[in-house]
Amino acid sequence: PITQTFTYRYYKYAEISLTLLPLFLALGLYKKSKPALFYIGVGLLAWMVVLLSLSRTMFVAGSVSLVLFFGLLWIKQNRQTYFKNSLRLLSLLVILVCLTQISFFPAQETTTLNRLALKDESSQTSFDSRLLFWGIAIESFKQNKLLGTGADNFALDYKNARVSFSALNAENKILEINEDVLPERAHNEYLQILSELGAVGGGLFIWLIGGVFCLFVFTKKAHFSLLSIASAAGIAGFLLSSSASAYSFRVPANGLCFFFLLALGAHGFSKTNRESGFDFAKLKPYFMAGGLMICAAMLIFSGLRGVSLMYLANAQKSVGTAEFEANIQKATALDPDDGLFRFYQAGELYNQGLTAESIPHLNFAVEHGIAGSTSYFMLATAQIRAGKNTAAEQTFTEALRVYPRSVFLRTAFASFLRKSGKDRQSDAENHIALSIDKKQAQSWYLAHSEGLEKLSITAAENKDLSEPMELRPASGAIALRNYQLILKKNP
């Protein structure tokens, strides 16, 4: 269905669309001409992108933006000038909302309103994921209140912050999700700024937003043009979407739309200041120089990042070990602190059966943000293969501090303890796993202890067990399969 295409392919454009939507509508209302009809068409298309993205955040933010736009239009402008045309335009926008909430195909059951009502499992999981990320971001801020963890270090500090969040919410079921997800973003711009930049960065950001608020609130009515109204509505929508968006200022294109509208809205305010005698034109060379420096820095950073990811992609497509190693070394040389490259290097060694050689790379990856439950499992099993049982036990213990409700890790640890002769500790770990999810725990324990093939055969006759394809997380089942293949090849 068309909604699936937009949801998975064009979702990231929904925030840009809702931000610029009021501007397109304003340009469409400005004059009765062919360009005006074009802008109205673009505005309606932008609203369709928001609706077909099935994003609850973008839908709510876009709706608020539209209410603000039409409300300010009727309050700040002459009603007789725009009222009839704006009412027709508003009716079209409402009709589009109604049409997109109708399921025209049997397979197209998901709508934005259904997602708002949390009527399907994926919507509930998405909602719970945000609660989890927000809680972890708050814990990250608590640990580094003044200066934060550093710009763009949310993923790097995610493991430590999740340990703190898990300790405070040990019985919370949201800890059972996203154990194999490594989020770069908190899905809340404001919380992420606090976690990465601390109170100092948060204060500066509040200063910026406060200035934007004052810009529009205290602008004289005479200078509150149609474009200023559109800018205010678009900025409001963007700031609201930032409260649950993974993009916002993090994606340059999205942030650029915000500052574009800010500049457009500031036009009337700058007129007021010129009347008071201050000429902002004097500052233009400095703004231009600063902007060019920022652009140059972004180009260099983005270029280096792009090249390093290109080498990673080449490594993934490599046909031989030598070619893989050459490409991954080039990627690492450009960004030696990125745990992702070391994780792929470790995976290549691990799957070749060189588990001992993979240990330092896995250690580095886990400590530099690639700390999902699968990463911990690979590290622990590599240590077991290398005869480092004490280190493996420590790895499992640390992993369960991060993911205390991971049945996958809990049963893996229980199986390891049983084979080490620590039956009492094994029973304790298995008991906790059973209390979280009995069916998954029984299935995982059998898979760890006797193999995925044994689980597949047994589950076909015993409905109290899950098939290997039903195990969660799926990446855990793949990691276990790879490990068991290594054991078969090199007992």
Side-chain angles (χ1 to χ4, degrees), residues 472-489:
R472 299 190 308 269
S475 62
I478 295 171
L480 178 59
R481 173 183 171 275
N482 291 341
Y483 179 57
Q484 291 176 349
L485 286 175
I486 292 170
L487 292 178
K488 280 187 178 181
K489 292 178 182 178

Side-chain angles (χ1 to χ4, degrees), residues 380-399:
T381 51
Q383 290 166 334
I384 292 169
R385 286 276 294 165
K388 301 178 179 181
N389 284 359
T390 301
E393 186 169 345
Q394 291 173 348
T395 297
F396 274 124
T397 301
E398 179 184 321

Side-chain angles (χ1 to χ4, degrees), residues 92-141:
L92 286 174
L93 295 168
V94 172
I95 289 171
L96 288 179
V97 173
C98 296
L99 288 175
T100 54
Q101 303 314 304
I102 300 172
S103 298
F104 292 101
F105 306 97
Q108 184 188 329
E109 297 178 356
T110 303
T111 64
T112 308
L113 294 180
N114 284 342
R115 294 200 70 221
L116 279 168
L118 303 178
K119 288 188 175 181
D120 58 90
E121 184 179 352
S122 64
S123 298
Q124 182 66 57
T125 301
S126 175
F127 178 76
D128 290 341
S129 295
R130 280 168 168 75
L131 294 180
L132 176 64
F133 296 152
W134 297 348
I136 291 171
I138 291 171
E139 289 305 313
S140 179
F141 168 66

Side-chain angles (χ1 to χ4, degrees), residues 158-176:
Y158 178 80
K159 172 173 70 84
N160 298 327
R162 181 158 180 153
V163 168
S164 178
F165 181 80
S166 298
L168 294 172
N169 303 273
E171 301 301 319
N172 195 328
K173 289 193 174 184
I174 65 172
L175 290 173
E176 297 173 23

Side-chain angles (χ1 to χ4, degrees), residues 7-20:
T7 299
Y8 297 110
R9 187 176 296 176
Y10 301 113
Y11 170 85
K12 60 185 177 181
Y13 300 115
E15 190 168 54
I16 293 176
S17 298
L18 77 88
T19 303
L20 297 179

Side-chain angles (χ1 to χ4, degrees), residues 191-346:
L191 291 178
Q192 185 152 359
I193 287 173
L194 282 175
S195 68
E196 292 183 351
L197 304 178
V200 173
L204 291 173
F205 188 76
I206 291 172
W207 188 11
L208 169 65
I209 301 305
V212 173
F213 179 78
C214 292
L215 172 69
F216 291 103
V217 170
F218 298 112
T219 295
K220 291 181 179 181
K221 184 175 180 179
H223 295 138
F224 223 109
S225 66
L226 189 59
L227 294 183
S228 294
I229 291 172
S231 300
I235 288 172
F238 180 87
L239 292 176
L240 182 57
S241 72
S242 297
S243 63
S245 168
Y247 302 102
S248 190
F249 291 102
R250 304 281 147 182
V251 176
N254 295 31
L256 186 63
C257 290
F258 169 84
F259 287 107
F260 169 71
L261 290 181
L262 180 58
L264 190 64
H267 180 66
F269 184 70
S270 64
K271 281 184 178 180
T272 304
N273 277 281
R274 282 199 295 272
E275 290 169 2
S276 65
F278 184 81
D279 187 5
F280 276 92
K282 294 178 180 179
L283 299 178
K284 186 176 180 180
Y286 301 101
F287 288 137
M288 184 68 71
L292 288 173
M293 289 176 64
I294 293 172
C295 290
M298 283 295 296
L299 283 173
I300 294 171
F301 171 79
S302 299
L304 290 174
R305 182 63 176 166
V307 172
S308 65
L309 291 175
M310 180 192 71
Y311 283 129
L312 175 61
N314 291 340
Q316 291 174 310
K317 294 183 289 186
S318 300
V319 293
T321 303
E323 185 182 350
F324 175 89
E325 191 68 25
N327 280 297
I328 208 71
Q329 289 292 348
K330 290 177 182 177
T332 304
L334 287 171
D335 194 350
D337 292 327
D338 194 324
L340 182 65
F341 303 142
R342 296 288 289 274
F343 179 75
Y344 275 101
Q345 189 172 14

